[in-house]
Amino acid sequence: MLELKRVCFGVRNEKGSKEILKDVDLTLEDRQFIVITGPNGGGKSTLAKLIMGIERPVSGQILFNGEDITDWDITRRAQAGISFAFQQPVRFKGITVKDLIRLASGDKALSTNGACRYLSAVGLCAADYVNREVDASLSGGELKRIEIATIIARQTTKLAVFDEPEAGIDLWSFHKLTHVFEKMHEEQRTILIISHQERILNIADEIVLIADGRIQKRGTRDAILPELLEVTGSCNFFKEDEA
Amino acid sequence: MDEIQKHLLMEIADLHGIPEGAYNIRSNSKSIGRASSANIEIVSKTDKDGIDIYIKPATKNEAVHIPVIMDKAGIKEMVYNDFHVGAGADVVIVAGCGIHCGSDTGEQHDGIHTFFVEKGARVKYIEKHYGEGDGSGERIMNPTTVVHLAEGAYMEMETTQIKGIDSTKRITQADLADDATFVVHEKIMTHGRQQAETGFEVELNGAGSSTNVISRSVARNSSHQLFLAKIRGNNRCHGHSECDAIIMDDAKISAIPEITANHLEANLIHEAAIGKIAGDQLVKLMTLGLTEKEAETQIVNGFLK
């Protein structure tokens, strides 16, 4: 179980300080599948990074399976079973797709066939990719699928966090992407996805709406979707201009 | 050969013993083994220290190994090796130098390798430099490579210096005739207080000639590296040089690329980038359960692979 208790996060720069998340309380039961959605700039990605330990909260507490992990570093959280798929996957010169999958799997002797299995799951023809470097020669969409494959390869995952997994994979049928999440769900893993995609919202147990750094609402798809349109559709500036 | 020598040989040439085909093994300034083959003849120079390697025209799929190993304190040597590669040949040449320094007196190997690659011949040249031993004497290597490529000739040079050389100044010079190609992949890692200087000078004289010089390096601790690449386009040609370096700790790296076009249709590009390991690369590997140190090792090893 993942619990966020009164989590606050902000940044400070020369222009002053800005609050990004305000008193966020969120509980995820084991094997739950939730999607976090909401307008851009609302704090969704920050929330995902706080769970992985990439950012640390200014105040509040994060608990994972009853343990306070607020001060744990990324490595310790990963070893405890939290996985994280980047919104913008990282490129590496010289590290091959197989190297990355092998590191993710934790199996030093991972065979090419083993790596291929994970790549096939994200719709990549493995033979074309295993020996390629995870560098600028890969397109954004290819990189995104490889990123998702690294999460599938992590057999120790208890909680998987995906930050906008659908971005940049237009050519990959959504059917396959949603199938990946459903399969992970069937395998009894807890899933948290940041997404704007209706098809992903449709397969979640629950949807959490975040806007202006706060959880605005949590509930089923039918309860949240109308509210989402209301939040994202309000542009006072444009309306005033029209008047 | 004793165990130290065997180990050096394995590090620089992946050899577990005497290689097949033509070879010359030089140990502490003396040839301790030599063989010529039907197509490749190795003979000692008479006017200076070194060997001539004659590869007959149209020799295919053969390799020559000429490793140098040193483990005796105080040796300083200057060696001239000339490679005469006949027209249409296609060969692999494996050179390299391993130094084991177990005392306070240093060891130094300076070598000048000159390649005469005839029309249409192809050469893959692999050179690895390695130093070890717990003596405080300096391990110094200064390799010079001079390459003359005739019409349509192709040479690919893979040079690696990953460990243990305290000071190196490597010079590579090449001149290319029509449609000749020269490709270089250089990998260097320095640590401690090591110094490495590497300079390339390529003259693209022939129409349709091309070169691609790629250097990847990692400088750690208080080491210094200097990368110089000069490419001159004297005809219709393509030239590209790339220096990609990771800087760590208190190291210093300079990259000075220079391209000169002396012809309207010379097409020349240089790229140079120096930077520390990207934070998001470390973060990604840490999200897979690696510690920061393990992530750093993976990134550096991949970069220099």
Side-chain angles (χ1 to χ4, degrees), chain A residues 52 54 74-75 78-79 82 84 86 90-96 99-100 103-104 147 150 154, chain B residues 216 242 244 273 280-292 294 298-299 302-303 305:
Chain A
M52 189 69 238
I54 299 168
I74 301 168
T75 308
Q79 288 168 351
I82 302 178
F84 183 87
F86 285 63
V90 183
R91 294 173 200 267
F92 296 89
K93 280 181 183 167
I95 292 184
T96 62
D99 291 336
L100 199 62
L103 289 171
E147 179 74 4
T150 63
R154 271 176 58 78
Chain B
R216 279 196 182 175
E242 184 182 324
D244 212 336
D280 57 356
Q281 291 183 335
L282 290 172
V283 168
K284 170 64 193 171
L285 296 189
M286 286 161 74
T287 65
L288 301 180
L290 277 70
T291 65
E292 190 171 346
E294 288 165 345
Q298 288 292 339
I299 293 164
F303 185 72
K305 194 161 60 188

Side-chain angles (χ1 to χ4, degrees), chain B residues 61-289:
Chain B
N61 303 322
E62 282 201 45
V64 190
H65 286 85
I66 54 153
V68 173
I69 48 182
M70 295 165 78
D71 60 355
K72 214 182 202 173
I75 292 186
K76 276 191 183 182
E77 60 179 19
M78 176 82 196
V79 181
Y80 298 83
N81 294 336
D82 292 348
F83 302 82
H84 308 267
V85 184
D90 188 347
V91 291
V92 176
I93 297 169
V94 184
C97 180
I99 296 182
H100 176 98
C101 181
S103 77
D104 303 339
T105 316
E107 289 158 49
Q108 179 170 347
H109 173 81
D110 293 357
I112 298 184
H113 284 186
T114 307
F115 291 83
F116 303 92
V117 186
E118 300 301 332
K119 199 172 168 180
R122 292 176 73 88
V123 174
K124 178 156 189 181
Y125 175 51
I126 301 164
E127 180 204 60
K128 212 165 157 186
H129 288 165
Y130 170 78
E132 60 166 34
D134 38 25
S136 61
E138 273 203 313
R139 294 170 289 250
I140 302 169
M141 276 183 208
N142 297 314
T144 298
T145 309
V146 181
V147 177
H148 305 289
L149 295 177
E151 189 186 333
Y154 174 94
M155 178 155 158
E156 192 181 331
M157 176 170 162
E158 246 182 60
T159 147
T160 311
Q161 180 180 313
I162 299 296
K163 250 176 123 176
I165 303 301
D166 296 305
S167 166
T168 190
K169 188 172 178 180
R170 49 172 68 234
I171 297 167
T172 305
Q173 293 166 337
D175 54 73
L176 283 73
D178 290 355
D179 298 316
T181 303
F182 183 50
V183 178
V184 180
H185 292 276
E186 178 186 68
K187 290 175 221 168
I188 296 181
M189 181 155 83
T190 51
H191 36 130
R193 304 182 61 80
Q194 294 171 352
Q195 308 270 342
E197 186 180 323
T198 169
F200 293 92
E201 269 187 61
V202 183
E203 298 280 350
L204 296 166
N205 297 329
S209 60
S210 68
T211 190
N212 193 8
V213 176
I214 297 166
S215 170
R216 279 196 182 175
S217 72
V218 176
R220 335 176 71 127
N221 310 126
S222 312
S223 62
H224 280 219
Q225 289 183 9
L226 171 64
F227 170 86
L228 299 147
K230 289 183 187 176
I231 298 176
R232 274 184 284 272
N234 306 321
N235 208 324
R236 173 175 59 80
C237 60
H238 281 275
H240 175 244
S241 79
E242 184 182 324
C243 165
D244 212 336
I246 292 179
I247 183 164
M248 298 169 81
D249 314 314
D250 298 316
K252 288 190 172 63
I253 305 176
S254 300
I256 309 171
E258 182 185 311
I259 49 177
T260 305
N262 295 319
H263 191 279
L264 179 66
E265 295 200 60
N267 201 331
L268 307 173
I269 298 168
H270 73 68
E271 296 175 81
I274 303 170
K276 63 175 185 179
I277 293 174
D280 57 356
Q281 291 183 335
L282 290 172
V283 168
K284 170 64 193 171
L285 296 189
M286 286 161 74
T287 65
L288 301 180

